[in-house]
Amino acid sequence: MKKVGDVASDVGRTLTTISTAPIAALGATAIKASISFESAFTSVRKTVDATDAEFARLSSDIKQMSTQVAPSADDIAEVVAIAGQLGIETDYLTAFARTMIDLGNSTDIVAADAASTLAKFANITGMDQSQFGNLGAALVDLGNNYATTESSIMTMSMRLAAAGHQVGLSEAQILGFATALSSVGIEAEMGGSAFSKALVKMEVAAATGGDTLDDFAKVSGMTAAQFKSLWDSDPAAAFQAFIVGLSKMDDEGMSAIATLEDIGIAEVRLRDTLLRAVNA
């Protein structure tokens, strides 16, 4: 009986070492992780206007997503909280968060920063919130295929968003122009504001007519009526026609700088931005 008892004691000690203690530690870790997530999810509850059932679904979706991507459930909850604060609708929160997490994993943009920037961009342009996946895909495609980064494109896009939306550019066209400008080394702080001024100047010329409209049209190789018609239907194409016209002026023995002066584009930053676009 003593031998049996000694063996039983040894078995008990072994089970405690290799089984019971690790299980207890695992339980403590799980409890700690659960408390951490609930704390992170509190931020979601503060910023998202949802019912209890919708919060339960969001919580489940976030936990499920954490098993599919590298970031933790806490990090995903932070992205969702930012999205809610910036007006992303409850129905699109999970898809939005997944797009931002994917951008964080595949680009030079941190997921939380991507969430803040892209949500603001969508608010400025009035973008359909079901299109965030398309926006993210376009951003990655541009970053992969042009001499710039996704973060530079988005920073420039934010600078162009208000004026671009005002004159009728789509989100895709704003991203395209932002890519072109950042690809030739134009900084967002300088080039974004200058480019926006050029767009607004063309919008005013098309709306009011006069000599300025005639000048824009002449450079673009059109009549004033043709340029106005193109601007009203496709402002991106009209702007590109103007840039192409400027690029041909030196070959035709005319000065692009003098032409810009005649149009009233004398500000150094604005002129430099347009000339860089011309030279590229």
Side-chain angles (χ1 to χ4, degrees), residues 107-184:
T107 72
D108 66 331
I109 307 175
V110 177
D113 293 341
S116 177
T117 303
L118 267 68
K120 290 175 183 176
F121 178 80
N123 288 339
I124 293 170
T125 62
M127 190 185 83
D128 183 344
Q129 293 190 3
S130 68
Q131 298 297 307
F132 277 111
N134 299 47
L135 182 63
L139 185 57
V140 171
D141 189 63
L142 291 167
N144 287 344
N145 289 286
Y146 293 89
T148 184
T149 63
E150 291 84 0
S151 60
S152 295
I153 295 170
M154 275 315 306
T155 302
M156 182 68 80
S157 294
M158 282 293 293
R159 292 280 180 171
L160 302 182
H165 178 61
Q166 179 182 339
V167 303
L169 297 182
S170 68
E171 291 83 13
Q173 290 171 332
I174 292 172
L175 284 179
F177 278 124
T179 302
L181 293 173
S182 58
S183 291
V184 293

Side-chain angles (χ1 to χ4, degrees), residues 246-247 249-250 254-262 271 275 278:
L246 276 179
S247 70
M249 300 201 76
D250 288 334
M254 302 173 66
S255 170
I257 294 177
T259 300
L260 290 174
E261 289 274 0
D262 292 340
R271 187 179 63 197
L275 290 177
V278 167

Side-chain angles (χ1 to χ4, degrees), residues 201-242:
K201 194 172 185 65
M202 284 190 183
E203 170 75 5
V204 172
T208 60
D211 292 340
T212 305
L213 177 60
D214 291 336
D215 291 335
F216 279 128
K218 183 178 179 181
V219 172
S220 304
M222 308 178 195
T223 65
Q226 289 172 330
F227 185 85
K228 174 176 171 51
S229 177
L230 182 59
W231 180 266
D232 291 342
S233 62
D234 190 350
F239 195 92
Q240 286 177 293
F242 175 73

